[in-house]
Amino acid sequence: MKHWLATPARVPDAAAAEAATLRQATLTKPPGSLGRLESLAVQLAALQGRERPRVDVVWIAVFAGDHGVAVEGVSAFPQVVTGEMLRNFALGGAAISVLARALNATLDVVSLGTVNDPGDVAGVRREIIAPSTANIAEGPAMTDAQLDAALITGVRSVERAVAADAQVFIGGDMGIGNTAVASALACALLGESPDVLVGAGTGLDQAGIARKAATIERALRANAAAITPLECLRCLGGFEIAALTGAFVAAAQHGMPVLVDGFITSVAALAAVALRPDVRPWLMFAHRSQERGHARVLAALGGEPLLDLQLRLGEASGAALAVPLLRLACTLHGSMATFAEAGVSEA
C-alpha cells in the first residue's frame, strides 16, 4: 500500500534560482542588505520554478488525532480537549482559524479519530481511523493498515492543495499527548535519550516532565524492535504525525514548497526526510518552538527558522505567522526597481 513512497521528489529548478539570484544583484540596494529575505526569495523561485515567486495562495492543513499514551498522564490537559478543539477550529475561535482568515488562507481541518468525537461538524473533514492510537508505553501505536490510512490522509490533503493551485503547504497538529509521542519518535529516529528531548508540552511541571520522560523510556523499550523509519513511525507515532509525514512527502513529490511549523511538525518532517531524503529541499522552517526538543530536531534537519517568538501552541500557528515574511520577500524581489530602471548608480 505504500508504493507511492517510491516516487521521487521533484528537483528544484536551478535555472529559476539562477535567474532570481541575478535579479537580486540588480535591485536598488547593496548586495545582501535584505539578508535572509533575499535568499528566501531565491529559494522560493527554485521551488516554484519561476524567477518571481508568489505566496498568494496558502493551504493550511490541521490534522487531529488522539493518543493512547494520554492515559499515562503525559499532558496537562484532559484528552477530551482534542475533540473540543475540532469544534473550535470549525467555529473560527482557535488561533489558527483567526490567522487563516487574516491571511486569506484555506484551512483544511481533518479529524483522524478522537476519544471525544464531536460527530459531523461543518468545516471538519472526517477521515476517522480509530478513536485513538494504542498506548506506545505498552506496544506499537498503530497497525500497518492504520499507518497506511494516516499517511494517505496527508497525501489527500496535498492533492486538494494542488487542485486549489496553492503555492505553499502548511501542516498543523492537534492531539493531547502529542509532544510525548513526537519526543518518543524523535528519540528513536535520532538515537537520543528522552532526557535530551522531553519538554513541558502544554505546561507540565517538573514532576510531570519526569513522568513523561519515564513513559517515553518505557515506550522505547516496548518498541525496541522498530528500527526502520517506517516502523518507528508506526510504533511510536500518532495518526496526525503520520498524516503530516505523508503530506510532506507528497508535497515534495508534487513540487509544492512546505512551511514547517513547530516541534510536532518538525518531527514529522524528520520522519519524512528519513523515508525520502529528497524531501529536504522542499522544507522551509517557520519558527523555533519553546519546546525543549525542537532545537535538536532542527539541527538534525539543518533547519534555520525564520522566527523565534517563544511559541509552543502548535496548530500550524507559528508557520502562519511566518507567511507575511514569505509574501514580503516575494514582493520585494518582484517589485523593487533595478538600478537601470531607477537610474541609480551602481557600486
Side-chain angles (χ1 to χ4, degrees), residues 189-208:
L189 292 173
L190 297 174
E192 287 283 11
S193 162
D195 292 336
V196 174
L197 293 176
V198 175
T202 50
L204 292 173
D205 57 16
Q206 287 302 311

Side-chain angles (χ1 to χ4, degrees), residues 95-176:
I96 192 56
S97 309
V98 173
L99 290 167
R101 283 198 304 274
L103 295 169
N104 196 28
T106 297
L107 182 60
D108 186 31
V109 180
V110 184
S111 174
L112 304 173
T114 60
V115 171
N116 178 31
D117 188 348
D120 291 330
V121 177
V124 176
R125 191 180 301 273
R126 288 175 63 81
E127 301 203 27
I128 307 299
I129 298 170
S132 80
T133 58
N135 185 353
I136 61 171
E138 298 178 349
M142 291 173 264
T143 66
D144 200 53
Q146 288 174 333
L147 175 61
D148 275 341
L151 286 164
I152 289 297
T153 299
V155 174
R156 284 198 289 262
S157 183
V158 169
E159 289 171 346
R160 292 191 291 273
V162 170
D165 294 323
Q167 294 153 331
V168 169
F169 181 91
I170 293 173
D173 60 275
M174 179 62 218
I176 295 301

Side-chain angles (χ1 to χ4, degrees), residues 12 41 47 103 177 188 236 292:
L47 299 183
L103 295 169
L236 295 165
R292 182 181 179 189

